[in-house]
Amino acid sequence: MATVAHCLFCFDVLSAGLERRERLTLSQVEDLWTRYQNRAEQAAQSDPTLDEPHHHGDDQDLEDGEDPLSPSDHDLEESSSDEEGLAAAAAVSSPPSTLRLPTISHLQAPSPASASTSSIPSSVSDSSSRFNSADPASKTSSSTSIFSFGRRSKQPSPARREQYPLFVTWNTISTRGHKSLRGCIGTFEAQELASGLENYALTAAFDDTRFSPIRSVELPTLANHITLLHTFTPCAHPLDWSLGTHGLRISFTYHGRRYGATYLPDVAVEQGWSKEETIVSLMRKAGWTGRNRDWSTVGDLKAVRYEGKGEGCRWSTYRDWRDWVNHSEGEGVDKR
C-alpha cells in the first residue's frame, strides 16, 4: 500500500532535482521517516505539553463547506488504440491489500493505452536524465553520513521490492486550502517502487503536457499523492464493479476508432455518481459524443475493474521532516 514515506520520497526526488542536490533513496526515506515519528512520539510522552506532530493529509486543510473539485479536476483519462491495454491490465498480478479510499482527489491524467508503458517510458527517461546531477552516486556531499547510512543499512525487505502499477499526482494548495491539479501521470504496468516512484514523480512534474513544468518557487504550495493499483479483473459487463471499491478502465469502438479511459476508485464516490453516470462520464472523457441513454449500444464496450490504495502529504510535512534530517545530520546523529 502507498505510505507517507512514498510521498516524502517523491518530494525529495523533485526538490533535489530542482535544487541540483543529492536525494535520499527510498530505503533511507522509509527508515528516517520511521525514526522521525518515533522520536516525536518519545518527545511527546516525555513532555505532555508538547503537541504531537502529525502529517498533513491532502484534504485536512480544506475549508469546511468548500465545494469538491469539478469532474474535470478528478479525471484520470487514457486514450486507447485497441484492447491489448485492457488485457495487459487484467494480467497484472500484485499482492492484495485491504482497501482504504484515498484521501486526495485523483486528477485527470492522459495515458495511452498499452499505456502506461509504450509512450510514457520515453518521457520518463527524459525527465530522469535531466537531473543526473541529483543522483546520489554522481557526486559527493557534505552530508556524507546520511547517504552512507543507506549503503550500510540492511538489504531491502521483500515489501520494498514489491511491484505495482501506480499513479503520481501533484496538486497545488491555495492559501484557502483549495486543491488544483498540477500534474498527474501513471502506468498500468507494474513498477518496482523505488524506480517507479522516482520516474513518475518527475514525469508528472515536468512532462504532463497540460501544464508547464513545476518550478522550485512552487514547492511550498505542493501536495503529493501516490496510488498503488492491484487486483485487475475483467468485468462480465460494464456495470460489474462496486462503487467505492473499484477503479474502472474501459475500452470501446466509436466511428471505427478504439477509445479508452480510466477513473481511480475514489472518483465516482467523490462526485456522487451512479455506475451508469460513471460509465457515461468515462466514455465522454475518452471522446464519445453520443446521447447519454445510448451508452450501452456503443460497440464492443469492455471494462476492467481494479482496486487501489492511496496516500498523500503536503510540502509542510516534507519540509518539517527534511529539516529534522538535516539538523540531525549536522549534530552527527547516527542514522544507521
Side-chain angles (χ1 to χ4, degrees), residues 66-97:
E66 185 171 37
D67 292 334
L69 295 176
S70 63
S72 62
D73 280 334
H74 283 74
D75 304 337
L76 277 167
E77 183 178 356
E78 175 181 287
S79 299
S80 176
S81 59
D82 52 38
E83 302 173 26
E84 294 178 0
L86 287 174
V92 170
S93 174
S94 303
S97 63

Side-chain angles (χ1 to χ4, degrees), residues 1-11 33 37 54-61 100-106 167-171 173 179 197 222-228 266 309-318:
M1 64 179 181
T3 66
V4 173
H6 294 155
C7 300
L8 296 175
F9 176 66
C10 288
F11 264 121
W33 172 244
Q37 290 182 302
H54 63 280
H55 81 270
H56 300 281
D58 291 305
D59 59 350
Q60 290 177 345
D61 295 322
R100 179 174 63 82
L101 284 180
T103 58
I104 186 175
S105 300
H106 289 280
F167 277 82
V168 177
T169 300
W170 295 105
N171 294 316
I173 311 295
K179 288 182 288 188
L197 290 173
L222 291 179
N224 175 260
H225 191 91
I226 307 300
T227 306
L228 304 182
D266 61 328
K309 178 73 171 180
E311 184 61 86
C313 77
R314 295 180 57 172
W315 170 262
S316 56
T317 302
Y318 169 75

Side-chain angles (χ1 to χ4, degrees), residues 3-262:
T3 66
V4 173
H6 294 155
C7 300
L8 296 175
F9 176 66
C10 288
F11 264 121
D12 206 56
V13 167
L14 176 60
S15 60
L18 290 168
E19 297 165 5
R20 301 295 177 177
R21 61 167 173 79
E22 295 183 11
R23 62 158 178 78
L24 297 171
T25 67
L26 178 57
S27 296
Q28 289 172 322
V29 171
E30 289 173 328
D31 291 338
L32 291 170
W33 172 244
T34 298
R35 295 177 187 211
Y36 173 76
Q37 290 182 302
N38 290 341
R39 294 190 185 197
E41 291 173 1
Q42 293 169 3
Q45 291 172 0
S46 62
D47 186 351
T49 63
L50 292 177
D51 292 330
E52 184 175 352
H54 63 280
H55 81 270
H56 300 281
D58 291 305
D59 59 350
Q60 290 177 345
D61 295 322
L62 295 180
E63 295 182 343
D64 291 338
E66 185 171 37
D67 292 334
L69 295 176
S70 63
S72 62
D73 280 334
H74 283 74
D75 304 337
L76 277 167
E77 183 178 356
E78 175 181 287
S79 299
S80 176
S81 59
D82 52 38
E83 302 173 26
E84 294 178 0
L86 287 174
V92 170
S93 174
S94 303
S97 63
T98 301
L99 177 67
R100 179 174 63 82
L101 284 180
T103 58
I104 186 175
S105 300
H106 289 280
L107 310 175
Q108 186 173 0
S111 163
S114 42
S116 1
T117 59
S118 60
S119 63
I120 289 179
S122 59
S123 60
V124 167
S125 67
D126 288 345
S127 297
S128 303
S129 63
R130 79 180 69 186
F131 292 128
N132 283 339
S133 62
D135 189 338
S138 66
K139 61 179 181 179
T140 58
S141 166
S142 59
S143 300
T144 303
S145 65
I146 283 186
F147 296 99
S148 60
F149 150 75
R151 292 190 290 273
R152 292 193 302 265
S153 62
K154 63 183 180 181
Q155 291 296 314
S157 67
R160 288 178 182 168
R161 293 194 296 268
E162 289 178 350
Q163 297 187 352
Y164 289 93
L166 58 87
F167 277 82
V168 177
T169 300
W170 295 105
N171 294 316
T172 56
I173 311 295
S174 72
T175 55
R176 299 185 64 230
H178 181 71
K179 288 182 288 188
S180 299
L181 177 63
R182 193 61 181 85
C184 180
I185 293 180
T187 177
F188 285 96
E189 179 173 306
Q191 304 287 303
E192 189 278 324
L193 280 180
S195 60
L197 290 173
E198 178 177 13
N199 288 338
Y200 284 93
L202 295 176
T203 303
F206 301 111
D207 294 326
D208 188 329
T209 57
R210 296 164 298 168
F211 306 97
S212 60
I214 289 176
R215 300 168 298 158
S216 58
V217 70
E218 298 177 80
L219 288 174
T221 71
L222 291 179
N224 175 260
H225 191 91
I226 307 300
T227 306
L228 304 182
L229 311 180
H230 63 89
T231 316
F232 288 77
T233 307
C235 297
H237 53 81
L239 301 181
D240 180 27
W241 54 281
S242 299
L243 287 165
T245 298
H246 297 116
L248 194 66
R249 188 181 186 190
I250 66 167
S251 175
F252 61 92
T253 300
Y254 182 57
H255 289 171
R257 180 180 171 186
R258 198 71 182 165
Y259 293 85
T262 187

